[in-house]
């Protein structure tokens, strides 16, 4: 096979990756699944699992060597931009709608009856239940050499607890929007709880990296102090009413924000942290969402449509330019994850399938039961309590980011990384059919202004 130059290989690989990701994403939304699931699957298919087995020469040409290095750089930028978008709306995922009563629920719904405690209790239980199960399972998995080379049981157990406790806020928000639950009581409650839980998971990830010796005391203290400061700034930002902002060039704002995200990610990487931490903290500390739904610094004014395909990182109330860039680049991240796994042989291994079944049961059953019990405690009808357990089990993109960070830091071995990757896909894919079984007639809550939450996120 003729060897092509790097530019040709890179552009051809990007064209294949983005084209397949877009097409698969549109197909996934037609069958009621988030587009991100199909895009992750495309990344795996273009790796050693399928393309590398069927057409190894093509695989090496398009995604090997220098081309893969460039794509990995784009992937890190995508993750930093994605983390920035999440950080911008982490503390107020529903735009404050959770504080409003649901007219269809005379008692005010669980969030109203539990006040500010309900999301916090749900987030705590949603994280602790699977985390406790993961801590109990960790010694067995560590004894079977499923951890990274030289990693201790403490760091391995803490990372496993973090990985099993994650709820993907963007995927959850997309599912809620597509099913008309984004303004329902359980929708608002699950979004707020998932945001609190994910913030705790990022801290657990940093702590596990420190326990494994992947960062020193100064790095850990700096990371946690930065997270606390960013959270305080975000909380203060959410409490202050802002007047009208001056109009600015959307293009100039997007360039400035992207440059700031790159700088924050570079500083984070220089400190020995994953680049996503820099993007996340900048998003927390930066400007919040404008009344129209997005920060003026990252929003273009020409497109006010909602991206029904689910392929945009942010789409309601105007297409954020930074979100659009993350949407384009995120398939590069999924491709990078796909290059690290070879499921072609693993899926035929009975031991691997048993490991997947064990992790899937532990991760989903504990979280489902715990969240359903919390919903019942706060007065949710039985059907809504069960739906709450299903919603909090969506993992998807956030789980893949956490798993990739842990695998690259050698906290877990390749076999466990592959198993947890499959678990994340299966758990998220099961959410749609499970919600359909439990659907009945959804009771929409009070309508709020479009674009006030991250329901438009990936």
């Amino acid at each position: 096979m003729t060897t092509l130059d790097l530019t040709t290989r890179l552009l051809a690989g990007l064209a294949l990756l983005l084209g397949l990701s877009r097409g698969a994403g549109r197909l996934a939304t037609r069958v009621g699944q988030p587009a991100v699931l199909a895009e992750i699957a495309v990344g795996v298919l273009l790796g050693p699992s399928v393309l590398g087995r069927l057409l190894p020469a093509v695989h090496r040409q398009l995604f090997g060597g220098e081309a893969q290095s460039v794509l990995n750089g784009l992937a890190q930028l995508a993750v930093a931009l994605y983390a920035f978008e999440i950080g911008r709306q982490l503390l107020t995922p529903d735009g404050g709608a959770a504080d409003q009563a649901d007219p269809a629920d005379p008692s005010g719904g669980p969030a109203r009856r539990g006040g500010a405690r309900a999301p916090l209790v749900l987030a705590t239980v949603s994280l602790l239940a699977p985390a406790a199960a993961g801590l109990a399972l960790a010694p067995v998995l560590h004894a079977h050499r499923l951890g990274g080379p030289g990693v201790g049981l403490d760091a391995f157990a803490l990372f496993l607890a973090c990985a099993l406790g994650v709820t993907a806020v963007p995927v959850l928000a997309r599912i809620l929007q597509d099913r008309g639950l984004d303004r329902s009581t359980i929708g608002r409650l699950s979004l707020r709880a998932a945001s609190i839980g994910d913030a705790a998971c990022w801290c657990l990830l940093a702590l596990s990296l420190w326990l494994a010796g992947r960062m020193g005391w100064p790095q850990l203290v700096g990371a946690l102090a930065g997270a606390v400061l960013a959270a305080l700034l975000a909380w203060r930002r959410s409490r202050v009413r802002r007047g009208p902002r001056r109009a600015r060039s959307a293009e100039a704002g997007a360039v400035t924000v992207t440059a700031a995200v790159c700088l924050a990610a570079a500083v984070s990487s220089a400190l020995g942290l994953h680049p996503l931490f820099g993007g996340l903290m900048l998003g927390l500390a930066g400007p919040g969402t404008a009344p129209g739904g997005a920060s003026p610094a990252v929003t273009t004014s020409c497109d006010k449509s909602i991206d029904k395909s689910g392929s945009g990182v942010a789409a309601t109330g105007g297409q954020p330019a930074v979100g659009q860039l993350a949407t384009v680049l995120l398939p590069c991240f999924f491709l990078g994850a796909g290059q690290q796994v070879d499921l072609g042989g693993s899926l035929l291994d009975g031991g691997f399938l048993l490991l997947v079944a064990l992790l899937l049961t532990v991760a989903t059953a504990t979280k489902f039961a715990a969240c359903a019990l919390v919903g019942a405690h706060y007065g949710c009808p039985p059907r809504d309590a069960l739906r709450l357990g299903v919603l909090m089990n969506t993992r998807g993109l956030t789980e893949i980011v956490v798993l990739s960070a842990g695998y690259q830091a050698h906290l877990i071995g390749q076999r466990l990384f592959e198993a947890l990757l499959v678990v994340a896909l299966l758990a998220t894919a099961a959410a749609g059919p499970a919600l359909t079984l439990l659907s009945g007639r959804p009771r929409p809550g009070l309508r709020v202004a479009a674009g006030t939450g991250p329901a438009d996120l990936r």
Side-chain angles (χ1 to χ4, degrees):
M1 184 174 182
T2 304
T3 301
L4 303 175
D5 64 274
L6 175 59
T7 301
T8 302
R9 288 187 285 126
L10 178 63
L11 294 178
L14 277 173
L16 178 63
L17 172 64
L18 298 179
L20 287 179
S21 296
R22 179 60 175 171
R26 291 178 65 88
L27 181 61
T29 57
R30 291 192 177 188
V31 296
Q33 293 290 352
V36 66
L37 283 180
E39 294 177 0
I40 295 171
V42 167
V44 173
L45 292 176
L46 292 179
S49 301
V50 178
L51 184 62
R53 287 175 176 267
L54 299 179
L55 299 170
V58 174
H59 178 258
R60 286 193 301 270
Q61 283 271 19
L62 296 182
F63 305 117
E66 294 176 313
Q68 183 59 42
S69 299
V70 176
L71 291 171
N72 284 339
L74 295 176
Q76 297 306 315
L77 174 58
V79 171
L81 292 172
Y82 159 75
F84 169 79
E85 285 292 307
I86 292 300
R88 276 201 314 123
Q89 304 184 48
L90 192 59
L91 292 188
T92 54
D94 48 13
D99 297 328
Q100 304 182 53
D102 185 341
D105 186 354
S107 62
R112 172 65 63 177
R113 288 192 292 276
R117 293 190 306 273
L120 182 60
V121 170
L122 179 60
T124 302
V125 171
S126 172
L127 177 60
L128 289 183
L135 291 175
L137 190 61
V140 178
L141 299 180
H142 191 266
H144 283 77
R145 302 182 182 278
L146 293 176
V151 68
L153 177 59
D154 50 358
F156 175 77
L158 189 60
F159 176 79
L160 185 62
C162 171
L164 296 184
V166 166
T167 299
V169 174
V171 178
L172 169 62
R174 185 81 252 174
I175 291 175
L176 290 174
Q177 186 184 46
D178 289 345
R179 292 182 173 269
L181 296 173
D182 52 322
R183 294 168 179 88
S184 68
T185 301
I186 61 168
R188 297 194 298 262
L189 176 61
S190 62
L191 265 180
R192 181 158 289 185
S195 296
I196 297 172
D198 273 11
C201 281
W202 296 123
C203 294
L204 288 178
L205 177 59
L207 185 57
S208 64
L209 291 172
W210 172 75
L211 287 174
R214 305 299 186 259
M215 65 172 70
W217 268 107
Q219 295 165 321
L220 177 65
V221 172
L224 295 180
V228 171
L229 177 61
L232 290 174
L233 289 173
W235 176 83
R236 183 178 182 277
R237 180 192 69 204
S238 68
R239 310 294 294 182
V240 175
R241 293 183 178 275
R242 300 183 183 274
R245 299 175 183 263
R246 291 183 304 169
R248 68 170 72 181
S249 166
E251 292 78 7
V255 171
T256 302
V257 170
T258 302
V261 171
C262 289
L263 179 60
V267 171
S268 178
S269 180
L271 291 174
L273 303 173
H274 196 283
L276 70 88
F277 285 109
L280 182 67
M281 293 179 193
L282 181 65
L284 281 169
T289 55
S295 169
V298 294
T299 306
T300 59
S301 58
C302 59
D303 188 347
K304 302 297 181 181
S305 62
I306 295 177
D307 182 1
K308 295 296 185 182
S309 70
S311 62
V313 173
T316 306
Q319 284 279 10
V322 173
Q324 286 180 325
L325 181 57
T327 298
V328 172
L329 295 180
L330 271 171
C332 297
F333 173 73
F334 301 141
L335 176 68
Q339 299 300 313
Q340 301 176 69
V341 300
D342 186 357
L343 298 178
S346 298
L347 293 177
L348 300 177
D349 182 353
F352 178 80
L353 295 179
L354 182 61
L355 176 62
V356 169
L358 175 63
L359 292 171
L360 182 64
T361 302
V362 168
T364 59
T366 53
K367 185 183 278 269
F368 174 81
C371 295
L373 287 174
V374 171
H377 172 74
Y378 282 110
C380 279
R383 188 189 300 271
D384 281 354
L386 294 176
R387 286 198 291 176
L388 194 60
V390 172
L391 291 169
M392 295 299 291
N393 258 308
T394 54
R395 299 170 187 271
L397 177 54
T398 307
E399 176 86 341
I400 305 302
V401 174
V402 170
L403 292 179
S404 295
Y407 180 63
Q408 291 168 8
H410 305 295
L411 295 179
I412 56 175
Q414 180 171 351
R415 189 173 179 83
L416 185 56
F417 174 66
E418 292 176 350
L420 289 171
L421 177 66
V422 174
V423 167
L425 294 176
L426 292 178
T428 306
L435 289 173
T436 299
L437 290 175
L438 296 169
S439 61
R441 274 184 77 90
R443 293 181 296 120
L446 185 64
R447 305 294 291 186
V448 295
T452 55
D456 50 349
L457 289 175
R458 194 173 196 73

